[in-house]
Amino acid sequence: MMSIDKKLFLILTLVVFLTGCANGSDLAATPTNAAALADEPATPGGTELAVFEFDLAAAPPQPDIPSVHKTYSSSFLVGAALEPDQLDSDAHVGLLVHHFNSLTAENAMKPVSIQPTEGNFTWENADKLVQFARASGMAVHGHTLVWHNQAAEWMFQDSEGNPLEATPENKELVLKRLEDHIRAVVGRYKEDINVWDVVNEVIDEQENDCMRRTVWYELTGTDYIVTAFQTADETAPEATLILNDYSTTDQKKRACIYKVVKELQAQGVPIEGIGMQMHANIQNPAPAAVEQTIEMLFELGEIHITELDLSVYPNDSDTYEAVPEDILLKQGYRYKELFEVFERQSDKIESVTFWGMADDHTWLKTFPITRLNLPLLFDENLQAKNAYWGIIDPLQLPIMTQLVDIPRGTPQIDGEAEILWATQPWSSLKLSDSVTAGFQTRWDENNLYVCVKADASPEDLGAIDVYLDENNGKTDHYEEDDRHITFQGGDCSNCEGVVFAIDSGEDGMLLEAAIPLGTEADIQDEIGFDIRVAAAGQNPAAWNDRSLSQDADTSKYGTLKFIDAPKVTAAVYGTPVIDGEEDEVWASANQEETAVWVLGASGSTGTVKTLWDEEYLYAYVVVTDSLLSKKARNPWEQDSFEIYVDQNNAKTTTYEPDDGQYRINFENERSYLGGAAEEKITTATRVTDSGYIVELAIQFDYIKPQEGMLIGYEFQVNNDENGDGIRDSVVTWNDPTHQTYQNTSRMGLLVFTK
């Protein structure tokens, strides 16, 4: 129960606040000394906020386009991070109010911004954002109470500004400073902020205990996390308190998040949710990885997507003077894919916040390097981009030309699903609520081969239309090289020279066709292609041109690029002992060798034998290396062997959860990417006169292997030729792209045999 003295204090405070407002004073515009308010340590400066004026009637730049937050009003809040000075722009205010119903302080609530020196609080910028949220009816997502960057460095220093040493006394001091800071900040805004990023980026998946080594950790261990959450909960018990971090779709990172949070929750630490930052790019992460991460982390509490943006680059080094239109279109489709996941998982997601309103203000223009980056829904003039339409009305997006690599192969045209068609994934077409179809293509010098399967009989299907534009001219009219072939029932129209076979059974229908090419085909050739398939009485579904204008217009066809066939090898059934010695069971195994130089033209090489059983994939590796070196700091630049596994053989351009890279150097030190993890592999190494041996077992966790099954498979040898810490050569078995660490589409194939 509140005491009489405290009630009187609050009444007097309210009178002073109202008097100040009547006189037009700005009560929190200057720093406040916390020592003057010892009786109210939770609210330095009182609870009153600075007074600002906003034009909430400011028109948005495009008032007639749908509101983002209203579009998703039944699913989750839609927020934006911003700086206070953006509220001085009517255009930005109009954009913010029209499209967002939650806001996050990009920097104004970080410790160094609010309490730059001990006891001196600078509230104005944070007040401005909260006051705007009050006036406009927006939610506020608090960011952040604890971070190793933009921290208030005085918390880690003595009275003379020297770094504190890790002692019990200093630990107590630092935790008390943290507690006082959180009580002040959370207490001031407890009526306004519904969610707090209590701790930010505290996880490091490379550490055995999963904890990032920061000054916080060095001085307090994990107690700073406990103190932060407990203090925030005591101060604002109604707020949702979350742990916020990046790269949450990385399997090892999310496993660490899960482990750490579970342990802390078991100790009674009030962690109530997870913030997935979601700084995505034009290529990663895969939608499947996002979905799986949401489902996994929801076991810890509610999910908030906290810092969403989508870089137009796939890496940290590329630059554009002007971002190509096709990249901005691809960005629109990427946003579409992500929001489809968010919608499916909306029962778990409370908010989706973009890390910025528009491309005129984004941290990605200076991080990780200075370059033009346009990662948000609205452009630099605050106009809606393809990214916006991708999440609001994808049908408004221009048709994107899909480019697909097609391996060489010559199937037998007999209507049978031979193993060649099992080596690549099927492209799917949804014909109706109950009927789906899939197709694949292959090529050789003389023909393009098409295989279509559908879970329906030929009688339940309409036409299957195949379209070719051999010179890939992409014209708005047909040229002499363009061709339209129709299969329906057992018949074929415009089929001069075409050989085809159709078979049907309980599982549905399968069509195989060999279509002669006008000129001899070769690797790297590209042709225009599209296909339409219809269920009986339904409109057709198209692979690329959803406007269905293929009959007279080739400009919206997709593109097939001819590549060489992937290598295929067989793993024989058997179970070796993993000890670095070649057991007798290896005598029956097939041996493959590295042959594709992706860095350098000579250097260390390797031979690999494989076996399998119901639980593991085994490999016995002999590496020839004249000088063994691990001088490089980066493990991939050390003398090492890498093996890649794509268990579902999906051949994707980004890693899915089943994909993994395992790296072992000659001293048996291991590192991983993707779904690979320490607990999934057993290894032994042995140095020889000519190099080193690696023997390993990788656990299957996404498939149940059986005879005849195919998986994606690749291996490579890394070499520091002269021991100077720089990788001089990389040689692979099959993949020529040097992208296997993030792209499984060019891996070779491994088939299980007995």
Side-chain angles (χ1 to χ4, degrees), residues 54-70 80 82 85-101 132 136 138 357-358 378 381-383 388:
F54 307 103
D55 183 7
L56 297 179
Q62 295 170 285
D64 296 329
I65 64 174
S67 161
V68 178
H69 81 79
K70 289 180 181 177
L82 64 150
D85 60 4
Q86 291 179 280
L87 298 177
D88 299 333
S89 160
D90 286 349
H92 287 87
V93 168
L95 185 74
L96 181 63
V97 171
H98 186 60
H99 289 292
F100 305 96
N101 57 358
F132 180 86
S136 59
M138 285 189 172
M357 282 189 284
F378 302 94
N381 296 314
L382 312 189
Q383 301 297 297
Y388 166 86

Side-chain angles (χ1 to χ4, degrees), residues 574-589:
T575 304
V577 176
I578 304 302
D579 57 5
E581 301 294 335
E582 191 170 5
D583 306 341
E584 288 186 7
V585 68
W586 287 111
S588 61

Side-chain angles (χ1 to χ4, degrees), residues 621-637:
V621 185
V622 179
V623 176
T624 301
D625 192 326
S626 60
L627 176 65
L628 299 181
S629 170
K630 50 174 278 186
K631 185 176 181 180
R633 178 183 178 186
N634 294 323
W636 59 87
E637 295 185 300

Side-chain angles (χ1 to χ4, degrees), residues 100-280:
F100 305 96
N101 57 358
S102 175
L103 65 81
T104 298
E106 186 174 359
N107 290 292
M109 291 185 184
K110 290 171 181 172
V112 71
S113 300
I114 281 195
Q115 195 181 182
T117 58
E118 187 169 11
N120 294 307
F121 291 81
T122 52
W123 299 112
E124 182 174 8
N125 285 332
D127 278 3
K128 186 174 182 179
L129 294 171
V130 173
Q131 194 74 279
F132 180 86
R134 284 183 180 179
S136 59
M138 285 189 172
V140 183
H141 187 119
H143 178 82
T144 174
L145 298 174
V146 182
W147 193 25
H148 60 277
N149 286 330
Q150 292 176 262
E153 295 298 327
W154 59 266
M155 289 191 188
F156 315 128
Q157 298 169 351
D158 63 20
S159 58
E160 297 179 356
N162 299 311
L164 294 173
E165 295 182 359
T167 66
E169 295 77 15
N170 286 338
K171 175 180 179 178
E172 183 178 356
L173 173 64
V174 168
L175 292 178
K176 182 61 169 63
R177 288 171 169 175
L178 176 62
E179 180 181 345
D180 289 346
H181 176 81
I182 291 175
R183 289 195 189 280
V185 178
V186 175
R188 184 177 185 83
Y189 301 119
K190 66 180 179 181
E191 301 300 328
D192 299 282
I193 294 182
N194 59 307
V195 182
W196 272 106
D197 295 337
V198 178
V199 297
N200 191 48
E201 300 177 1
V202 300
I203 302 298
D204 184 350
E205 67 275 19
Q206 301 304 323
E207 297 289 347
N208 291 333
D209 63 358
C210 296
M211 296 306 305
R212 180 187 285 271
R213 276 15 182 200
T214 65
V215 179
W216 286 113
Y217 184 87
E218 291 167 1
L219 293 176
T220 75
T222 59
D223 284 355
Y224 76 97
I225 300 176
V226 176
T227 296
F229 275 97
Q230 288 179 341
T231 305
D233 186 51
E234 292 168 5
T235 309
E238 299 302 317
T240 299
L241 308 179
I242 69 175
L243 178 148
N244 190 49
D245 222 312
Y246 64 93
S247 296
T248 52
T249 56
D250 177 87
Q251 292 201 49
K252 193 172 182 181
K253 180 72 168 276
R254 73 186 181 207
C256 272
I257 292 172
Y258 189 91
K259 169 183 176 292
V260 168
V261 172
K262 269 292 188 185
E263 290 172 352
L264 290 169
Q265 288 175 333
Q267 299 169 28
V269 180
I271 303 175
E272 298 165 323
I274 301 298
M276 295 173 55
Q277 290 186 8
M278 282 301 297
H279 293 296

Side-chain angles (χ1 to χ4, degrees), residues 282 312-314 317-324 326-327 371-373:
I282 203 71
V312 297
Y313 302 100
S317 56
D318 290 354
T319 61
Y320 297 120
E321 289 187 10
V323 179
D326 66 313
I327 295 297
R371 59 184 176 181
L372 177 63
N373 209 332

Side-chain angles (χ1 to χ4, degrees), residues 60-83:
Q62 295 170 285
D64 296 329
I65 64 174
S67 161
V68 178
H69 81 79
K70 289 180 181 177
T71 300
Y72 290 95
S73 61
S74 63
S75 301
F76 36 70
L77 293 172
V78 179
L82 64 150
E83 295 291 357

